[in-house]
Amino acid sequence: MAKDRSGAGDPVRTLELLWREPGEEPRGGRRGPRQGLTVDAVVRAATGLADEEGLAALTMRALAQRLGVTPMTVYTYVPGKAELLDLMLDEAYRTMERRTEAEAGAADPWRERVTRVADENRALLARHPWIADLSVTRPPLGPGVIGKYEHELAAFEGIGLSDTEMDAALTHLLGFVHADARAAADTAAHNQRQSDEDWWAVSAPLLERAMDPERYPLAGRVGEAVGAYNPETVWAFGLRCVLDGLAHLVERKPEAP
């Protein structure tokens, strides 16, 4: 099955919907038979469906059922699923929890600011796991996406990176966060079928007999030291690597005026 992606719909129609005023009806559209239904309500219902069941479950028919209308009624508010995904992503970004500059402190050390960006995005992906499954090579340029971009670039402002390096650094950081979120989702899916404890209870006796410590000395030693997979340990180490890499780059540059 093809991967869902942003930016796959009609760009003009998508931008009109993204930049509408809150509660505004779609241009050229008509109100459906259910009084009070709006684009905002459609987006909220679609987001709830994706949060609960994933993007694969998000169809226009399933969305219509959740809203209590016919599928044709949904199409009077959004042209199709491609445009709907852009609206959902932009709204998720617009409403994500993040500290304002006044709350966070613009004078905080840059590592703290960048760490906050990582933590905010990790929380966002935990709240909306479907975002990690959405290809965002062409993000919707709505107020949510652009506001998020503005907020996150501020974490890198003034640390000695050029504008293109700031964008690349943010992209690199978010790539790490998304990879971590996908790994966490995979682990959760496996644990729903069989917990780590149950798997090890079944597998450990066989592995103890099969694993030759002379043939696999490193695997045995490190595996024993690590024990069960700990997502927090992996997250902390990976983020430290990202930050240390940026620090190395920044330290090689003259200080920003």
Side-chain angles (χ1 to χ4, degrees):
M1 184 176 63
K3 184 179 179 68
D4 287 303
R5 62 179 55 251
S6 64
D10 179 343
V12 174
R13 191 71 185 93
T14 299
L15 286 172
E16 287 176 348
L17 286 166
L18 285 169
W19 289 95
R20 74 195 186 283
E21 292 299 320
E24 182 180 76
E25 292 301 311
R27 194 171 71 181
R30 58 180 177 82
R31 185 177 295 278
R34 179 177 172 181
Q35 187 176 6
L37 189 60
T38 63
V39 174
D40 298 315
V42 171
V43 172
R44 286 194 297 270
T47 300
L49 181 57
D51 287 347
E52 296 165 17
E53 303 182 38
L55 285 181
L58 177 59
T59 65
M60 300 302 274
R61 181 172 297 278
L63 177 58
Q65 290 176 345
R66 174 168 286 224
L67 289 166
V69 299
T70 66
M72 287 307 299
T73 297
V74 178
Y75 284 110
T76 66
Y77 293 91
V78 291
K81 183 177 178 180
E83 293 84 1
L84 177 60
L85 288 173
D86 283 347
L87 292 170
M88 291 165 57
L89 183 65
D90 194 74
E91 180 66 7
Y93 284 178
R94 187 186 70 82
T95 58
M96 70 181 289
E97 294 182 6
R98 54 180 177 244
R99 298 174 68 185
T100 65
E101 185 173 312
E103 292 171 334
D108 285 350
W110 70 264
R111 290 180 74 109
E112 291 184 19
R113 303 200 307 263
V114 173
T115 296
R116 277 197 295 269
V117 170
D119 289 338
E120 289 165 354
N121 277 275
R122 191 187 191 199
L124 173 72
L125 294 175
R127 192 174 306 114
H128 303 299
W130 54 269
I131 294 178
D133 294 328
L134 185 65
S135 175
V136 194
T137 52
R138 186 178 293 169
L141 297 181
V145 167
I146 294 178
K148 179 177 183 289
Y149 186 53
E150 176 77 16
H151 166 76
E152 292 170 350
L153 286 174
F156 300 89
E157 176 74 342
I159 69 174
L161 299 178
S162 69
D163 286 353
T164 55
E165 288 172 334
M166 285 169 58
D167 176 83
L170 176 59
T171 300
H172 179 59
L173 175 71
L174 297 183
F176 159 70
V177 177
H178 278 241
D180 178 85
R182 285 193 294 269
D186 287 343
T187 300
H190 278 293
N191 285 339
Q192 283 184 342
R193 294 189 292 270
Q194 184 182 43
S195 69
D196 281 347
E197 291 78 8
D198 291 342
W199 187 88
W200 277 111
V202 173
S203 305
L206 175 61
L207 288 173
E208 288 174 0
R209 294 195 302 270
M211 284 279 290
D212 182 353
E214 293 186 359
R215 185 176 183 182
Y216 307 109
L218 290 177
R221 189 190 79 211
V222 174
E224 183 177 356
V226 171
Y229 172 76
N230 186 328
E232 295 305 319
T233 298
V234 174
W235 166 262
F237 180 80
L239 181 58
R240 192 178 79 204
C241 288
V242 173
L243 295 174
D244 286 351
L246 287 174
H248 178 71
L249 178 63
V250 169
E251 289 164 4
R252 293 178 58 187
K253 289 175 167 288
E255 290 187 6

